Amino acid sequence: MKFKQNISIINALMRITCGFTFLTWAMARMVKKPWKNQSYIIVVMLSAMKIGEGILRYCPLTDAMENGQTLMKNEPKQDRESNSSNSY
């Protein structure tokens, strides 16, 4: 499966910056209070995901939104008219 880059360079740099910031914060908290690290593990995973998205310049949520919008545009007109007349 081939991924097409779908975020800009500025967006990618912001994702990398925020990802490293939250990763550093969560790791510092995990070192300071190792008995409470379950909630910080989620932050570490999410920030690592943001760093990966920034490096690859690919966001799966953005891709899903774009594909959903194109599917809605390609939906036949007749289906939309019948659905809108039935809903109140």
Side-chain angles (χ1 to χ4, degrees):
M1 187 169 180
K2 208 168 192 181
F3 297 114
K4 185 178 136 189
Q5 294 178 343
N6 62 356
I7 58 173
S8 66
I9 189 72
I10 302 296
N11 193 339
L13 290 174
M14 290 298 296
R15 287 174 193 253
I16 292 170
T17 304
C18 291
F20 275 123
T21 301
F22 283 117
L23 181 68
T24 305
W25 174 79
M27 292 299 286
R29 293 289 178 166
M30 286 176 67
V31 168
K32 199 173 191 180
K33 299 178 184 177
W35 61 89
K36 283 183 132 181
N37 66 357
Q38 288 182 346
S39 61
Y40 298 122
I41 288 176
I42 295 170
V43 176
V44 168
M45 289 173 28
L46 291 175
S47 59
M49 183 181 72
K50 289 299 166 190
I51 293 169
E53 288 175 3
I55 291 171
L56 295 176
R57 289 185 56 197
Y58 175 77
C59 178
L61 291 176
T62 304
D63 192 33
M65 291 294 288
E66 289 173 356
N67 286 339
Q69 288 177 355
T70 56
L71 287 175
M72 291 298 288
K73 286 180 184 176
N74 293 338
E75 185 177 300
K77 228 181 203 183
Q78 184 180 14
D79 290 342
R80 276 187 278 170
E81 290 173 357
S82 65
N83 288 340
S84 64
S85 63
N86 292 338
S87 61
Y88 291 97

